[in-house]
Each structure stands twice: as C-alpha cells, then as structure tokens.
Amino acid sequence: MAAAVVPALKHWRTTLERAEKFVSPVYSSHDCNLRSRLYRDSCPVAGLSSFLTPERLPYQEAIQQDFCPAQVGDSFGPTWWTCWFRVELTIPEAWVGQEVHFRWESDGEGMVWRDGEPVQGLTKEGEKTSYVLTERLGEGDPRSLTLYVEVACSGLLGAGKGTMIAAPDPEKMFQVSRAELALFHQDVHKLLVDLELLLGMAKGLGEDNQRSFQALYTANQIVNVCDPAQPETFLMAQDLASKFFGQRGGESQHTIHAMGHCHIDTAWLWPFKETVRKCARSWVTAVQLMERNPEFIFVCSQAQQLEWVKNQYPGLYSRLQEFACRGQFVPVGGTWVEMDGNLPSGEAMVRQFLQGQNFFLQEFGKMCSEFWLPDSFGYSAQLPQIMCNCGIRHFLTQKLSWNLVNSFPHHTFFWEGLDGSCVLAHFPPGDSYGMEGSVEEVLKTVAKNRDKGRTNHSAFLFGFGDGGGGPTQTMVDRLKRLCNTDGLPRPTLQLLSQTGQGRRLVLYGAERSARVRSRRGIGSVSASCMTWSCSAVWPWSEVPSFYTQQPSCRTSGGQPGSAPCHPPDFTRHLCGCPSQPSFFPPFWPSPSLALGPCRLLLLNQFHDVVTGSCIQLVAEEAMCHYEDIRSHGNTLLNTAAAALCAGEPGPEGLLIVNTLPWKRTEVLALPRPGGTHSLALVTVPSMGYAPAPALTSLQLLLPQQPVFVVRETDGSVTLDNGIIRVKLDPTGRLTSLVLVASDREAIAEGAVGNQFVLFDDVPLYWDAWDVMDYHLETRKPVLGQAGTLAVGTEGGVRGSAWFLLQISPNSRLSQEVVLDVGCPYVRFHTEVHWHEDHKFLKVEFPARVRSPQATYEVQFGHLQRPTHQNTSWDWARFEVWAHRWMDLSEHGFGLALLNDCKYGASVRGSVLSLSLLRAPKAPDATADMGRHEFTYALMPHKGSFQDAGVIQAAYSLNFPLLVLPTPGQVPMATWSAFSVSSPAVVLETVKQAESTPQGRTLVLRLYEAHGSHVDCWLRTSLPVQEAVLCDLLERRDPAGHLPFRDARLKLTFSPFQVQSLLVVLQAPLN
C-alpha cells in the first residue's frame, strides 16, 4: 500500500522556482527538466548542400544553380546576400505513427520550400525553428524527400552592427547551427504551455490572491506527479491542469479579442525587396496555423505587401484568398501602406485609402471598415474626416504608449476631427501590437485599461512584429487554454459574426458599447464612451525628430512629399480643354497608366521611409523612386505642352501654367536664347495658362512700385517693395521687417531674426526618432562675420542680398534673401553643406507679437497650439509638426513663417523657430549629410492670417508657376479652367476619376481652409455635362446632384470640411 501524502507547508519562492526550473530552457539539458523531452529521438539530415548569391532569386531559378556540399556550422554571407540550402531527408522507419519535425536554426531568416511552394518561415528570433513534416507518419508516407531552405543574410530586425538600430554591418557573416530530423512530443508541449500559464497566474495575480495560490499549488502538484522520463505520468499531470483551467469565470469578465497579427515594416532596418520575403515567410506560417486551428484569426494590413506577394508568390496568395473566404484571413487597414500620420498631405492620405480600398475590394470582395495604423508616429486631426469619407468607421493604433510624460487618458473612445467627424478609436491597453499570449500580457490588458466601467472589451494583437514572424502555435495554444478561466479576463479567438453581408471582423467588440458618429451626427452614441477632440495634436513627450531629418526621403524637387503629382494631375486635364471644348487629346493617359508612379509615391510614405528613420539603403531606394516619379511627371508635362499647341505651326515658345485656384502675378526667371534668363512679371489666371511675355515687353513700366535695394555704409542692406521693408545687418541677420502701409515693425525690439542656432542633439536611445527636451539647454547662436553680406539683384522686379555663413569647421551655409515686386513676403533661399554629428540646426525669428497660441497648417486645415508651458502637456510639445506655414497673431497684426519642405516647428513665447537639419547616426550613419537646398519665407500681415492671404501665399511658395517649353505655336490667349469665389475655399485637387468611361470624368477636391461656414461658387470654362458630389473613394452621393448653370455651381461648406465632386464632361462632337 502506498503511503499517504502528508500535507506540507510551502514556501512561496521555493515552490515557484522549483516549477520554473522544471520548464526552464536554461536547464533543458537536465533529465529532470520537462523541456528536455519536447523533442525525443533525432537524426542528422542525409545531405546538405548550399548555393550563395547576392541576388534574391525566384525558386525555380535558384534550384538550377550549382550547389556545393555544406555542413552545420558553416558560415555564409555577407549581409543582404542569400544562401540557398538543398536538404536531403531520410525518415527512420521506426518513427511510423509519430509526429516528425525538421529542425533548423540559423541567425538568418529562412523559408522552407517543398515541392516548389513555400511552406514555413524559419527564424530563431521569432521562435520558429521547426517545420512539421507530418503530424503522424503513415505506413505509406515517403521516407525520403528533398527540401530547400532559402536563408537571407539578415535577421528578423536587420543586421545592425552592435545594436538593433545601428547602421547595418556590411560584412556580417551568418551560420547554420542546427539541421536535423526529430520526433516532437505533443503531450510535453501541452504540459509546458499549461505550466507556463500556471506560473504566470501565480506571479501575475500576486501573493495576496487566492487564485494565485491555487495556480501555484497546481503547478507544484504537476511537478510532483510528472516524471519527464516516464511519459505515462503525463496524463495525470494533464488532468490536474485541465481541472484547474476548467474552472470558469463569471459573465462580468473583461473580454479580450485576440487577433493574430504580424506587423511588417514595409522598409526599415532592411530594404524593400527583403520585405517581400518577410511577408511570404510570415504569412505562409500563418497559413499553417489557420489550417491547424480553425478558430484562429489572422489580420493583415497594407495592400502594397499583398500585391507583392500576389506577384511573386501566387500560390501562397491563392491560399490567403481561400482563407479570407473562410473568414480566418482578415484584410484590415484600408490603405496602400501604413503611412505616417502627420507628414503626408491631405490628398496623399486620400490616395492611400483610394488605392488601398480599391485593392481590397478587387482582391477580397470587400472594403475595410477599420483604419489600422498601430506603429505610426502621429495622427493628423483630419484623419477622422478622411476615414469617414472612405468607408472607415473604426481606428486602431498603439503608438501612444510611447509617451513618457503624459499618458493618454483613454483606450476606447470617440476621436473627433477638425471638422467634427467622429470615429470609434481603440488603443490596445496591453501597449503592444506584438503580444505573445502570456498571462502577464492578459492581466496588463485589463489593469492598464483606462476606460474601466465604460467598455469591457479590448483588442489583443499577438505575433512577432516589426520585422515579421507573426504568431506561433504556442501563442495560439496559450490563448485557447485561457479562453474562460476563473481569475483572468476572457480571451477569445472568435472575432467573426454573421451579418447580412457575410462574415466580417467585429473590431475588439466595441460595437457592443457604442455606435459610431459621423460628422453629420448619424447613428446613436453611447454615453459610456468619452470623446477626444483633436483640435490639439495627440501628445508626445519626446518629440519625433524625423519631421526635420532626411528631407530627401519625403521631397521631390524641393516639394513636399505629395507635391510631385500635383502639376501633372492638373496639367493632364487642362490640356484637353483649350478653345475647342469637345477636344480630348489621345495622349490623355488612363488612371491605370499613372498607377505605377502614384503607388511608388504612396510606398515612400510608409512611416519609416518618409520620416527617414530607416537605413541608408532604404533612403537610396526612396530617392530612386522619386527619380522615377519625377521622370514620369516631366513626360506628362512635356506631352501636355505639346497637346496645348494643338499642332499649330510656328516657332517654339513658352507657356506659363498656374496649377493653383487663384489668379497669380509673380516674378519669373524665363529662359532665353544662349542659356540666359530674364526676369519678368507675369500674370496667370486661376488653374490656367498664359503665354510668356515677349522679350521686348520685359522693360515695360511696372504697374506697382519696383523693389529698391540700398546698401548702407555700415554694410547693412535694405530691400523695399512698398509692401514690406526688410533690413539685414552686415552678417545677414534680420534687424527689421516693417509692414509699410501701417509702419508696423514685426521683429521684437532689440532682437534679430534669421538667427541660425545650433543645438546638441543626443537622444537617450532612439537616435533618428527622438528630440529630447534637454537639447534646448544647449542653444548656441551661429554668428556670422561682418562684411559677408553683398547685394545680389539690384532692384526693379526683384531685389536680393546674399551672404555666406560658417556654421562650424565642417559645415557652411549660403543664403539669398529675395524680395519681389508686389510680393507680401520675403524669401530666404538657402543652401547648406552639412557635415555634423548629433547636431540640430534651426532658424529663429523673435516677433513683436504676443499671443498665448500659434497656428500651424495641417492637412486640409490648421490648428492652434500653445506658446506657453503651463502644463506638462504644453511643455511636452516643445517642438511640433506643421506643413507649409505657421502663424503668430495678436489682434490686428501677425507674422507668418512659410516654408517649402520643412515640418518641425515651434513657437515659444514670441519666437518662431523652424527646424532645418539634424545629424543622427542610427540607423543611417549618413543621414542628412551633404548638400541641401530649401526656402522659407517671412510674411508680416495686417488682421488675421485668413484675411491676409497667408494660406494662399504658402501654396504659391510651394507650387511655383510652371514654365513649359512648347514645340509649336503657343496659344495667344490666356485661359482658366476653374476658379472659386471665396478665398476660404481651396480647390486642392483636379484629377481624372479612377473609373471613367472614355476619360470624361474629373474629380475635384475642395476644402474649407479658414475654419468658417461659407457658401461659394465654383466656376469652370469646361463643357460640363453633369456634376455630382461623391465621397473620397469617388462613389456618387445619390442625393448629391449639383445644378450647373451659367458655367458655375454652388457649394456650401462647414469649417474644415472636405468635399469631392465628380464632373462629367460633354462627349466630343465627333
């Protein structure tokens, strides 16, 4: 008779550590450790050979290469190369009836190919080191087979030299440390999962919790009864675990909606082409999990990545579509890529949704209802309106958890945009989009939830991310085991519900708590969910610095990231509409022909590319993309110029094109014979063209006061055009800026503007990401040398002065300060040769203006931010992002700072500051190094910035008049396509509709820019057949017909509202 077990007192720590040692991988070589029994018998592979290449070859081409004998322990490389391995396997006869795995470990990411198809991603960092050959080896199954393993010479997170975010080590070598066949013990795996969860509950619930002790005692009992050397004891151990986990929780438990997820940065610490393979490795593994776990749901964003896989892995893509039909593979997000939420223009964001939603509809039969942006570095106040107009009703993000000083107060809430549009937003309380299904994470999701009592549902995104990898079977098993266990919230993998339109994703169960409001108040609103009004930017405590760095990653020809498409988009439509209103030239390309450049631009707006927080290789690829886009745009412009000549014979000429919706009179440098240029004052109607003035007409008297340039005896220079008077000291600093009509000085008394300042810029860790507050303590004015200021252009239509400035022993700057006739602002054309380490260059303008808040342009509008530091929320925004302008105004007067390609700004007190250049060293050691050109401008004004035309001035600075050489006779008359009656309304975009018969439909996008209710008339000289309102996806509004009479139609706007129109042109007469 067995002796009775005597109850014993248990010491918490020793009991816990005993159980931990029983499952710890550190002791896996010990016979008393359960993990040591996870794999039983093993045998080496029958044969191993390899082939090394610098290219990423397709499978069929790779297997035709010459493979050389290889063995475990061999090194291969260097970084970014690929090593293909041919693996010959022979399964022992004695393994019949058992689960057989192919085990592979390498420090490079791998992909297993079997019978010509990818079947498993392998990555040691992502805990995927085996491929299941068979779950039960049958009598008739083949014993010999050949696999290929494609191994990238880079890890899950690139190949940083020393640290993750360091620049890649170009000479890094890689190694295979394991290649074998082994028997997998499923019972051991289940017990390991159970014990990990029991120990997680014991530690997570704490020593003062009853359920915690129950978990610990159950784990201790399992250790007592389980002998790793005797598999027959496993059943009793499993029974103990099942009894514990079978104790159910109550109905009030918090529900966690666990979604398999694999965030893959479209480019970051690795190049774009490697991302294609990352997608395949990650998603083929998800397919394996979906096959083995019918309840497992995998969500996937970014249409670009899906298109890559469609083109390069068609077999895998077909499987994804198959599982999408089953409801297990769920496309989310609605955008082409997960773009940055601050830097792209409003139109660029619209195109992200337009291309993304159309792709998801075409490939998966439906559009997304949620915007998925877990990893972006900020969120525009206009995103709710853009989402609502693109069929999006929910928003998920995570990055707010990066805040160090101020914690965001909600996790589930209504997000209200600038115009009043609302979406239901969710921020997973677990503070991660890469959970692993542990008890600690599950408990954190509940504990950190800031909306307790208001919502009882949270999202839980599990799977290795950033560099891909995705979920593992162990993660799925953990969450399945915890599905309804007493003492814990309730994880559920069942995220699908039946609707009249089929199966869809119920995003984090929030519909149970509230319904979404639209801008017009449609739908009911639960009182339980709070509303966050984004009239102020969402807070960061360490400011994202990439609004300044790597300008080449977001500009093309000095224009903001979305600008390269603006002139070609407009000019394509314009050239079809000269004096023959029914004429549609055959060159007018369909939207599909422009799809490539457009999608390249959208690709570059990925949040680690447009921000420059990527390795040098990615930045160089982005520049190549911009060259392609620029080349395509130039081709369109040249073709447009030829079409506008309409085949008329005559000498070559010049056509001046205005792509903005207001009449412009500006000074242009026109090319002349012999390679020279002549300055001319030209007037071009709104969204139209005018012939360039003849050479003989350039000397005619100016209709306005000319620019006077005076050099004083002390070396200072004064520029005066009758609107503003600018005085520069002998070093080029601005000592006075006067609005002539009111004799109002804009520069603070005793101060100087255009003062360049240098800061030390050493973040705590995230070199290319953060600007820390303490950098402000290191301010050092850059002082110039008297006598370097010289007169450039001596007056007339233009006056200018220029100077040189030595920033440091390694960096220098040259600048031309330009004032044109009739222009309300002074421009600062700047060229910098920058060679610094961890330095930050800004320019400052102390203003004779006092206001508690400044105004900054954002997408389709503007918002105010404080100029003081009253609270920690104010102080944490010591630098903010802005687009083309910022303005500091008091009653009756203000000062605006415009720019053509900078995004970091601040107004502290009365000092306007524009961030110009940084010098981070990780992950790109060459970031910002070299030559830069940019322009900023200063505009003093009477009254409000709205009435003074600051918005129009900033547009004009960013979109210069186009000078197009024509191959034939230039049209003699001026012509305007569109004009808008109110200065509060901006006609932002004219493009061809994505789906249009015979190319006769245009899309016009307008927005209210002042923050007011306004009625306006849109006039056009085009032969309009029909005009109708549409959403941002170009879907007609059934009630949106617009009467068109007398070549105009009426539109009504509320503050910051964006409206889109479909304008159908009359068919050609022939």
Side-chain angles (χ1 to χ4, degrees):
M1 177 183 295
V5 176
V6 179
L9 290 173
K10 292 179 174 58
H11 185 268
W12 172 273
R13 178 178 171 183
T14 57
T15 306
L16 182 70
E17 291 188 4
R18 177 202 185 198
E20 286 180 329
K21 183 175 181 179
F22 190 66
V23 298
S24 171
V26 176
Y27 299 97
S28 59
S29 61
H30 294 207
D31 291 339
C32 59
N33 179 274
L34 182 62
R35 194 172 298 274
S36 66
R37 304 293 173 155
L38 186 59
Y39 286 98
R40 293 185 287 174
D41 297 344
S42 65
C43 67
V45 298
L48 188 65
S49 54
S50 67
F51 159 69
L52 188 63
T53 172
E55 306 297 329
R56 294 175 178 88
L57 299 178
Y59 171 81
Q60 290 296 341
E61 185 177 345
I63 64 173
Q64 302 300 321
Q65 306 302 314
D66 294 328
F67 284 73
C68 300
Q71 60 185 5
V72 173
D74 283 354
S75 294
F76 55 92
T79 302
W80 309 132
W81 283 45
T82 300
C83 194
W84 283 82
F85 291 87
R86 180 187 291 133
V87 185
E88 308 290 343
L89 302 176
T90 301
I91 304 175
E93 191 65 35
W95 290 6
V96 171
Q98 301 183 73
E99 184 169 337
V100 182
H101 287 199
F102 166 58
R103 300 185 71 189
W104 178 276
E105 291 185 15
S106 169
D107 45 5
E109 287 192 272
M111 168 85 90
V112 180
W113 292 79
R114 184 174 183 178
D115 300 328
E117 290 293 334
V119 291
Q120 176 71 53
L122 295 172
T123 167
K124 196 172 181 179
E125 299 158 291
E127 297 182 7
K128 297 176 183 69
T129 56
S130 70
Y131 164 56
V132 182
L133 289 171
T134 174
E135 293 183 355
R136 182 179 178 85
L137 184 64
E139 292 284 355
D141 290 344
R143 301 295 187 265
S144 298
L145 66 154
T146 299
L147 302 177
Y148 286 89
V149 182
E150 177 189 10
V151 182
C153 295
S154 56
L156 197 64
L157 294 172
K161 189 172 185 177
T163 66
M164 180 188 76
I165 65 167
D169 180 357
E171 302 301 326
K172 186 173 181 178
M173 300 300 289
F174 297 79
Q175 189 179 62
V176 174
S177 55
R178 185 192 299 271
E180 65 182 20
L181 287 174
L183 292 177
F184 183 75
H185 203 312
Q186 192 66 237
D187 287 338
V188 172
H189 168 74
K190 292 177 180 178
L191 274 175
L192 287 171
V193 169
D194 287 342
L195 282 165
E196 287 174 353
L197 296 175
L198 288 167
L199 292 172
M201 289 183 68
K203 291 186 287 187
L205 295 175
E207 296 183 49
D208 58 351
N209 184 283
Q210 171 70 15
R211 189 63 170 161
S212 168
F213 273 89
Q214 292 174 356
L216 181 62
Y217 277 43
T218 301
N220 188 68
Q221 286 179 286
I222 290 174
V223 177
N224 286 338
V225 303
C226 180
D227 183 347
Q230 298 183 29
E232 60 271 17
T233 64
F234 296 167
L235 182 59
M236 186 182 300
Q238 290 172 352
D239 288 342
L240 288 169
S242 295
K243 181 180 178 181
F244 177 89
F245 290 111
Q247 294 173 333
R248 301 305 182 192
E251 292 184 2
S252 66
Q253 284 177 297
H254 188 88
T255 301
I256 291 175
H257 296 262
M259 295 173 269
H261 180 241
C262 177
H263 178 66
I264 303 177
D265 285 320
T266 300
W268 180 32
L269 304 177
W270 52 87
F272 288 101
K273 290 182 179 179
E274 192 56 44
T275 305
V276 181
R277 299 200 296 188
K278 282 179 175 287
C279 293
R281 290 189 288 259
S282 303
W283 296 349
V284 76
T285 304
V287 165
Q288 298 285 347
L289 290 175
M290 287 185 279
E291 285 181 333
R292 293 198 293 268
N293 306 274
E295 65 274 70
F296 169 65
I297 307 300
F298 184 77
V299 295
C300 181
S301 65
Q302 305 196 74
Q304 172 69 87
Q305 295 182 3
L306 286 161
E307 186 187 56
W308 279 337
V309 170
K310 176 186 177 182
N311 293 336
Q312 299 193 36
Y313 300 89
L316 170 59
Y317 190 75
S318 296
R319 300 299 311 279
L320 296 178
Q321 290 181 309
E322 176 188 337
F323 281 103
C325 292
R326 297 183 193 178
Q328 286 184 265
F329 182 81
V330 183
V332 295
T335 51
W336 191 247
V337 297
E338 289 182 7
M339 72 283 194
D340 181 72
N342 284 336
L343 291 179
S345 70
E347 182 61 28
M349 288 183 170
V350 171
R351 304 288 179 102
Q352 286 282 352
F353 283 102
L354 180 62
Q355 293 300 323
Q357 289 285 55
N358 284 345
F359 179 89
F360 290 124
L361 179 63
Q362 177 180 331
E363 297 294 324
F364 296 95
K366 59 183 178 181
M367 293 184 179
C368 301
S369 62
E370 63 292 307
F371 180 31
W372 193 275
L373 198 65
D375 195 32
S376 178
F377 306 114
Y379 317 91
S380 167
Q382 280 288 30
L383 270 172
Q385 180 177 192
I386 294 172
M387 283 187 259
C388 288
N389 275 278
C390 291
I392 301 290
R393 292 294 178 264
H394 310 108
F395 174 56
L396 183 142
T397 186
Q398 180 275 324
K399 208 65 170 217
L400 289 174
S401 63
W402 276 36
N403 291 343
L404 290 179
V405 177
N406 301 297
S407 297
F408 193 74
H410 303 295
H411 284 104
T412 303
F413 57 98
F414 287 112
W415 179 20
E416 183 180 75
L418 272 183
D419 74 317
S421 296
C422 266
V423 293
L424 186 60
H426 184 64
F427 164 27
D431 290 349
S432 175
Y433 49 73
M435 302 285 203
E436 298 181 26
S438 70
V439 171
E440 179 185 4
E441 294 165 339
V442 168
L443 290 173
K444 181 180 180 181
T445 296
V446 179
K448 296 292 185 180
N449 180 23
R450 291 180 174 268
D451 294 283
K452 297 182 181 74
R454 286 190 287 265
T455 60
N456 204 28
H457 297 264
S458 295
F460 188 94
L461 312 181
F462 68 96
F464 290 102
D466 289 332
T472 66
Q473 183 62 54
T474 299
M475 296 178 191
V476 176
D477 290 341
R478 289 170 184 156
L479 292 164
K480 287 162 68 173
R481 193 57 150 162
L482 296 176
C483 65
N484 192 6
T485 296
D486 186 28
L488 292 178
R490 183 188 298 111
T492 175
L493 297 172
Q494 297 293 339
L495 296 178
L496 299 176
S497 67
Q498 287 297 132
T499 69
Q501 297 177 338
R503 309 181 84 190
R504 66 183 179 90
L505 178 68
V506 179
L507 187 62
Y508 47 79
E511 282 98 341
R512 302 185 186 188
S513 302
R515 295 184 65 186
V516 181
R517 288 188 291 180
S518 75
R519 185 182 61 81
R520 301 184 186 277
I522 299 173
S524 61
V525 181
S526 168
S528 65
C529 281
M530 304 298 290
T531 297
W532 181 271
S533 177
C534 208
S535 57
V537 68
W538 287 7
W540 289 78
S541 51
E542 69 282 74
V543 176
S545 61
F546 31 66
Y547 301 149
T548 300
Q549 73 197 20
Q550 294 278 43
S552 61
C553 285
R554 54 183 167 271
T555 60
S556 181
Q559 300 293 323
S562 61
C565 286
H566 186 273
D569 259 350
F570 169 71
T571 312
R572 274 195 319 182
H573 104 266
L574 175 146
C575 62
C577 318
S579 58
Q580 305 169 41
S582 62
F583 173 65
F584 291 86
F587 93 92
W588 196 351
S590 68
S592 61
L593 294 179
L595 209 53
C598 176
R599 288 181 171 179
L600 268 185
L601 190 64
L602 299 182
L603 171 61
N604 274 8
Q605 290 165 357
F606 179 74
H607 60 259
D608 275 310
V609 178
V610 70
T611 59
S613 54
C614 53
I615 60 174
Q616 180 183 356
L617 182 57
V618 174
E620 291 171 351
E621 289 180 301
M623 287 308 300
C624 290
H625 294 165
Y626 283 129
E627 287 299 324
D628 291 345
I629 295 164
R630 195 158 31 230
S631 174
H632 180 85
N634 288 337
T635 299
L636 283 177
L637 291 175
N638 292 336
T639 309
L644 286 167
C645 295
E648 295 290 335
E652 295 182 0
L654 295 174
L655 194 68
I656 314 300
V657 176
N658 175 16
T659 64
L660 296 179
W662 44 79
K663 179 181 177 181
R664 297 165 69 182
T665 299
E666 297 177 11
V667 176
L668 275 182
L670 300 178
R672 296 302 177 191
T676 62
H677 288 77
S678 297
L679 294 177
L681 186 66
V682 299
T683 298
V684 189
S686 65
M687 284 201 164
Y689 59 73
L695 181 62
T696 55
S697 68
L698 296 184
Q699 305 303 320
L700 295 178
L701 292 176
L702 298 174
Q704 297 131 304
Q705 175 186 313
V707 181
F708 294 104
V709 180
V710 178
R711 182 180 178 89
E712 307 292 348
T713 56
D714 64 355
S716 63
V717 172
T718 299
L719 311 174
D720 189 336
N721 68 354
I723 300 173
I724 59 176
R725 183 166 61 249
V726 180
K727 186 170 183 179
L728 303 170
D729 75 6
T731 68
R733 296 182 302 178
L734 185 63
T735 57
S736 176
L737 177 62
V738 174
L739 192 60
V740 173
S742 60
D743 198 31
R744 177 67 154 82
E745 175 63 61
I747 300 300
E749 185 177 357
V752 292
N754 202 34
Q755 174 66 66
F756 293 96
V757 288
L758 205 59
F759 299 85
D760 295 337
D761 183 18
V762 187
L764 295 176
Y765 176 72
W766 297 98
D767 214 32
W769 290 260
D770 295 344
V771 170
M772 310 306 295
D773 61 315
Y774 50 75
H775 88 280
L776 296 171
E777 302 172 32
T778 66
R779 179 181 180 274
K780 301 178 186 68
V782 181
L783 301 178
Q785 184 175 353
T788 60
L789 184 68
V791 172
T793 306
E794 295 183 346
V797 295
R798 172 173 292 172
S800 71
W802 64 274
F803 64 91
L804 301 175
L805 180 65
Q806 194 71 35
I807 300 171
S808 75
N810 299 318
S811 301
R812 67 184 188 276
L813 173 153
S814 63
Q815 187 174 79
E816 184 180 22
V817 184
V818 180
L819 185 62
D820 284 346
V821 63
C823 186
Y825 54 82
V826 56
R827 302 195 306 276
F828 300 82
H829 297 304
T830 313
E831 178 181 323
V832 183
H833 292 265
W834 181 249
H835 301 280
E836 300 294 328
D837 292 338
H838 291 108
K839 297 295 181 182
F840 196 170
L841 181 66
K842 304 183 185 184
V843 65
E844 296 177 347
F845 294 91
R848 191 167 171 243
V849 178
R850 180 172 174 80
S851 175
Q853 61 185 19
T855 307
Y856 302 81
E857 188 193 37
V858 298
Q859 295 86 348
F860 297 135
H862 58 264
L863 49 79
Q864 285 76 41
R865 299 177 180 128
T867 61
H868 54 74
Q869 300 179 14
N870 286 352
T871 70
S872 64
W873 291 69
D874 301 329
W875 159 72
R877 288 177 287 186
F878 50 82
E879 178 154 335
V880 296
W881 63 276
H883 277 209
R884 288 170 288 236
W885 58 269
M886 57 178 168
D887 181 85
L888 182 67
S889 290
E890 59 189 34
H891 178 68
F893 183 80
L895 184 63
L897 180 55
L898 324 176
N899 85 92
D900 71 348
C901 62
K902 299 299 177 184
Y903 294 83
S906 69
V907 180
R908 304 182 69 201
S910 296
V911 179
L912 290 79
S913 175
L914 186 66
S915 297
L916 303 177
L917 292 168
R918 294 184 70 236
K921 297 304 170 187
D924 180 0
T926 67
D928 280 12
M929 297 301 100
R931 179 179 174 274
H932 299 264
E933 282 190 65
F934 49 84
T935 298
Y936 52 88
L938 206 59
M939 179 177 172
H941 60 82
K942 181 181 178 181
S944 69
F945 69 85
Q946 293 99 326
D947 294 338
V950 167
I951 297 170
Q952 287 79 5
Y955 266 97
S956 297
L957 181 69
N958 279 269
F959 297 100
L961 295 172
L962 299 175
V963 180
L964 299 183
T966 60
Q969 182 68 45
V970 175
M972 298 306 296
T974 62
W975 181 82
S976 171
F978 297 100
S979 63
V980 181
S981 64
S982 171
V985 176
V986 176
L987 175 52
E988 168 81 5
T989 299
V990 178
K991 67 179 287 289
Q992 194 172 0
E994 298 295 301
S995 178
T996 169
Q998 292 85 45
R1000 293 193 296 112
T1001 304
L1002 301 178
V1003 174
L1004 275 61
R1005 189 129 41 241
L1006 307 93
Y1007 74 95
E1008 198 287 319
H1010 286 183
S1012 61
H1013 287 84
V1014 64
D1015 294 336
C1016 78
W1017 291 95
L1018 172 67
R1019 297 179 178 273
T1020 180
S1021 60
L1022 304 187
V1024 175
Q1025 174 181 308
E1026 178 190 17
V1028 62
L1029 292 172
C1030 64
D1031 65 8
L1032 296 180
L1033 301 182
E1034 303 179 8
R1035 299 177 297 188
R1036 286 173 172 250
D1037 180 349
H1041 177 75
L1042 297 170
F1044 183 77
R1045 288 187 293 271
D1046 300 326
R1048 66 178 189 170
L1049 53 85
K1050 186 178 182 181
L1051 296 168
T1052 299
F1053 289 84
S1054 58
F1056 303 116
Q1057 184 182 3
V1058 179
Q1059 292 197 54
S1060 298
L1061 286 67
L1062 288 171
V1063 176
V1064 182
L1065 303 181
Q1066 295 175 10
L1069 296 178
N1070 59 350

